[in-house]
Amino acid sequence: MQPVVHFAVGLTSLDWILYLLAALLVIAGILGTILPAMPGLPMVFGGLLLAAWTGDFQQVGWFTVIVLGVLTLLAMGIDLMASLLGTRRVGASGWAVLGAAIGTVVGLFFGFFGLLFGPFAGALIGELLAGRGMQQAARAGLGAWLGFVIGSLAKLALAFSMLGVFALGWLIG
């Protein structure tokens, strides 16, 4: 195992810039796990891949990178399934699913509360446009909201798992 001090001494200016860029990608990616307009987990993966590449895959090898890639694909699948299952589980129409997606995007412009309530409002409006009653529309909104929250929490957990896998690969590598 290479000591951190020895690692830092051998870095060039370009290495420092690339590691800084990798760290910024990871941070932005973690934020992107909550902000639906950003590809959060692919950004985390890109940052970790850049860090491994900058170190010539000496500390973090290809096996670790492959595990990180699989976790990224898993997270993307979870993200898609959580939002679809959240609205479909309560018997929502396609309009509610579309409304939840639009509500999520529009919610971005209204900060945290917009992100939190945008999927609910969008699914509710979509269900009302589909000609469903208020009770079914509210159920669709709740399903969309739960899908968004559960999906975001799962992606956040996977992002931190990826950081743990990377750190373990660094320590073992």
Side-chain angles (χ1 to χ4, degrees), residues 1-4 6-7 58-59 167-173:
M1 183 166 65
Q2 196 176 32
V4 174
H6 177 70
F7 164 76
Q58 296 300 308
Q59 289 299 121
L168 184 62
W170 185 275
L171 292 172
I172 294 173

Side-chain angles (χ1 to χ4, degrees), residues 26-147:
V26 169
I27 291 167
I30 289 173
L31 290 174
T33 62
I34 299 168
L35 301 171
M38 293 176 61
L41 273 295
M43 290 174 72
V44 171
F45 176 75
L48 297 176
L49 178 62
L50 178 60
W53 178 78
T54 301
D56 292 324
F57 299 97
Q58 296 300 308
Q59 289 299 121
V60 176
W62 281 107
F63 177 77
T64 301
V65 171
I66 290 169
V67 169
L68 293 171
V70 168
L71 287 174
T72 302
L73 291 174
L74 177 68
M76 291 169 66
I78 286 173
D79 187 29
L80 178 64
M81 294 306 294
S83 53
L84 289 177
L85 290 176
T87 50
R88 286 292 182 192
R89 180 139 177 108
V90 295
S93 67
W95 282 99
V97 174
L98 179 63
I102 292 170
T104 301
V105 173
V106 171
L108 286 172
F109 298 104
F110 297 97
F112 177 73
F113 290 108
L115 279 174
L116 199 56
F117 295 111
F120 174 84
L124 182 112
I125 292 168
E127 201 70 347
L128 289 173
L129 288 173
R132 306 265 181 111
M134 182 55 91
Q135 184 176 3
Q136 176 58 31
R139 288 184 62 205
L142 182 61
W145 180 79
L146 285 172

